[in-house]
Amino acid sequence: MLKKILTLTLLVFMSFNIYSRDKIVLLTKNVEVENIYKEITSINISYINFDIDFVEIDNLSPYLIDNWVEPPVFAIYIDENVTAQKIVSGFKRGQLPPLQIVKPLLQNLFIENRVAKYFLLEVIGLIDNKIEIAPIEDAKIPVLRLNMSIDPQIVIETLISPIPVNIEYITNYIVLNIFGETFYFTDGDTLIINGIFIFIIILVINIFRKRVSFHFKHNRRYIPSIPYKILALFLFNFIATLVIGFIESQDISGDLIYNFPRAILIIKILTAWFIYSICFQVIKDSALSKSPYFYAILSLYSEIFLYFLTLIYYQPLAIYHIWPITIIVIYILSSKKGTKRILLYFSPLLLIVLISKYFITGNLTLIDFFIKNRYIGNLILTFLSIPYIFLQESFFRFIYRKQNKISYVVEIVQSLLILTLIITISAIIIELNK
């Protein structure tokens, strides 16, 4: 008798899993929009592979309380407020909406490039999600926000076949725009790329092992000075932030930074570089290592450190560090001054392109973080620039290593040009903003 009961229970459980479907919730702002989606859903119900709950945003908290035992696998929030452009958001690290839904929807809305442009910022948390969907995010339910006037049929068609029932959702991915084309890399794709690159890194470290051991052995007394150089770089960025604050105080309207974010960022970088150049002139002949190879190796290892740090934070993002590591390795292997100079200029190219393309007038969060934030923002800028500072110092030592006495003329002229450029750009943008 007990055997029959267990068998019956097992059959019931199996049948429930066979015929049960994943549940999603469609969030709207008002009942009129909700009724439209209900009507279209009822027409296409036989083709949709999900159980859909319809909830107004004001009733979200009670809904989550009632459905805490069997919560939806993800949510779509339809915000019909018409904006200047279509906006798709909700790409929060650890709570990404399923790629199987996101990809066809973006393709149908023809906004893949725009989403790819801001995807990175959302994943690392530099674009804040709206507070009104906080309850569903607190419940760890991925939510895709559509802030636009949209044809409901497009949304519903996205939920129709060929999406199978109870699929294994892809919720770790990255969307990139490369030369105008949009590419979707899943965690599996980036895991293969990073796995191959980690193998290459291990191979490179083994190739350079004797060279690294030799230069660190002969420069070990200079290693304690490295944290001081990093601290000094942070202080230079901090002072540059204060300079930006002074420039902002000269503007009556108070929106100078947001009207000219790229120019202000250039001023900040040039200011930090000017202070660094002046200090470097003072200490370059002091008791610091004069080995170009020592600084090149420091550049490589600091970039590898940032690579693994990003790998831990969010694995797909680590692929952005492949470019600078590759350039630095080629720099180390190269023996020609001209080649090293080209590689020095190309090494930060990807970082510059990535940051500058996000510095547009409307992106207030990123502008505040990298320009006005005195501590965390400057700390991030410091860590991102460390490999390039070490590489620049390596190149300088490489150029002058055979000279007994270093000429200061070029460096002094360079510092004066930087200072002139800072003052000129500042005067121009203040005048333009009046």
Side-chain angles (χ1 to χ4, degrees):
M1 182 64 180
L2 181 61
K3 185 178 180 180
K4 289 182 178 181
I5 292 173
L6 291 173
T7 304
L8 183 62
T9 303
L10 182 62
L11 288 172
V12 170
F13 178 76
M14 288 176 64
S15 64
F16 174 78
N17 279 289
I18 292 172
Y19 293 106
S20 66
R21 302 192 299 180
D22 288 326
K23 180 170 63 176
I24 67 172
V25 57
L26 203 63
L27 300 170
T28 56
K29 276 198 168 183
N30 55 66
V31 69
E32 290 81 7
V33 176
E34 181 181 326
N35 289 334
I36 293 173
Y37 278 91
K38 281 183 177 179
E39 182 180 349
I40 296 177
T41 301
S42 63
I43 296 172
N44 297 277
I45 192 66
S46 59
Y47 304 103
I48 299 175
N49 287 326
F50 300 95
D51 291 327
I52 303 178
D53 289 340
F54 298 90
V55 180
E56 290 181 54
I57 198 71
D58 293 336
N59 299 324
L60 179 57
S61 294
Y63 168 80
L64 293 174
I65 293 172
D66 294 339
N67 291 269
W68 68 273
V69 175
E70 190 183 354
V73 291
F74 69 94
I76 299 177
Y77 176 32
I78 313 295
D79 187 351
E80 288 280 353
N81 288 341
V82 180
T83 58
Q85 59 183 6
K86 296 178 179 179
I87 298 175
V88 177
S89 59
F91 302 102
K92 186 176 181 181
R93 182 174 64 95
Q95 291 178 226
L96 270 67
L99 183 60
Q100 291 93 329
I101 304 296
V102 169
K103 185 175 179 179
L105 183 60
L106 298 184
Q107 290 173 340
N108 291 337
L109 293 174
F110 303 102
I111 54 173
E112 290 180 289
N113 286 347
R114 188 178 301 137
V115 170
K117 181 177 180 180
Y118 294 105
F119 183 88
L120 176 62
L121 298 183
E122 283 208 67
V123 168
I124 63 179
L126 288 180
I127 292 183
D128 297 327
N129 289 318
K130 301 297 182 181
I131 194 67
E132 56 195 357
I133 58 174
I136 201 163
E137 289 187 337
D138 292 341
K140 305 300 180 185
I141 299 171
V143 54
L144 182 66
R145 180 187 176 115
L146 307 176
N147 185 201
M148 65 188 75
S149 180
I150 184 174
D151 182 0
Q153 190 67 38
I154 294 178
V155 178
I156 300 304
E157 284 179 356
T158 306
L159 306 177
I160 296 177
S161 298
I163 298 175
V165 179
N166 295 326
I167 62 174
E168 185 176 348
Y169 299 109
I170 300 173
T171 55
N172 284 304
Y173 54 88
I174 189 169
V175 186
L176 299 178
N177 184 280
I178 304 174
F179 301 116
E181 296 293 328
T182 303
F183 296 89
Y184 299 84
F185 293 95
T186 66
D187 56 345
D189 299 328
T190 53
L191 190 62
I192 293 172
I193 294 171
N194 285 318
I196 294 172
F197 194 69
I198 289 172
F199 173 77
I200 295 173
I201 287 176
I202 294 172
L203 188 64
V204 168
I205 289 174
N206 276 285
I207 292 173
F208 290 157
R209 182 168 53 85
K210 290 185 179 179
R211 186 182 299 188
V212 171
S213 177
F214 173 81
H215 288 293
F216 270 80
K217 180 180 178 180
H218 285 77
N219 293 276
R220 60 179 180 269
R221 61 189 173 127
Y222 302 117
I223 293 177
S225 68
I226 295 173
Y228 294 105
K229 289 180 71 69
I230 296 173
L231 178 61
L233 191 58
F234 172 79
L235 290 175
F236 299 157
N237 283 317
F238 185 86
I239 295 170
T241 305
L242 298 180
V243 172
I244 295 300
F246 173 76
I247 295 173
E248 187 181 21
S249 68
Q250 306 305 304
D251 175 54
I252 300 174
S253 63
D255 55 2
L256 182 143
I257 289 180
Y258 302 115
N259 288 339
F260 303 95
R262 289 179 179 174
I264 294 294
L265 179 65
I266 290 171
I267 291 174
K268 178 173 180 176
I269 293 172
L270 286 176
T271 302
W273 184 253
F274 170 74
I275 301 170
Y276 170 80
S277 298
I278 295 299
C279 293
F280 186 73
Q281 302 310 314
V282 176
I283 67 171
K284 65 183 178 182
D285 289 328
S286 62
L288 294 175
S289 174
K290 296 177 177 59
S291 167
Y293 304 105
F294 176 67
Y295 289 110
I297 291 168
L298 283 179
S299 175
L300 175 62
Y301 274 70
S302 58
E303 188 60 50
I304 289 175
F305 172 77
L306 291 176
Y307 171 78
F308 281 104
L309 202 64
T310 309
L311 201 66
I312 295 170
Y313 178 77
Y314 186 62
Q315 184 262 131
L317 290 180
I319 61 176
Y320 284 101
H321 289 282
I322 292 177
W323 168 272
I325 291 175
T326 304
I327 294 295
I328 294 170
V329 169
I330 299 173
Y331 174 93
I332 294 173
L333 293 174
S334 175
S335 58
K336 294 183 178 180
K337 181 174 69 175
T339 305
K340 284 184 178 293
R341 187 187 298 275
I342 293 172
L343 292 170
L344 175 67
Y345 294 151
F346 270 83
S347 59
L349 186 62
L350 181 62
L351 180 64
I352 292 170
V353 170
L354 277 175
I355 293 180
S356 64
K357 79 173 185 176
Y358 293 126
F359 269 75
I360 59 175
T361 303
N363 202 341
L364 305 184
T365 306
L366 183 68
I367 294 169
D368 285 341
F369 184 78
F370 277 112
I371 294 181
K372 300 178 72 173
N373 191 303
R374 295 183 178 182
Y375 302 104
I376 303 300
N378 283 328
L379 191 64
I380 298 297
L381 273 178
T382 299
F383 277 103
L384 289 176
S385 57
I386 283 170
Y388 309 111
I389 291 296
F390 283 144
L391 199 65
Q392 181 272 339
E393 190 152 350
S394 168
F395 181 74
F396 179 87
R397 302 293 181 184
F398 179 81
I399 294 297
Y400 294 109
R401 73 185 190 277
K402 294 181 180 180
Q403 298 184 16
N404 295 326
K405 188 176 181 180
I406 298 174
S407 172
Y408 289 85
V409 176
V410 175
E411 288 74 24
I412 292 172
V413 171
Q414 175 182 288
S415 300
L416 290 175
L417 286 174
I418 292 174
L419 182 59
T420 304
L421 193 59
I422 291 170
I423 296 172
T424 304
I425 296 175
S426 302
I428 291 173
I429 63 172
I430 290 174
E431 187 65 29
L432 289 174
N433 202 56
K434 286 183 178 179

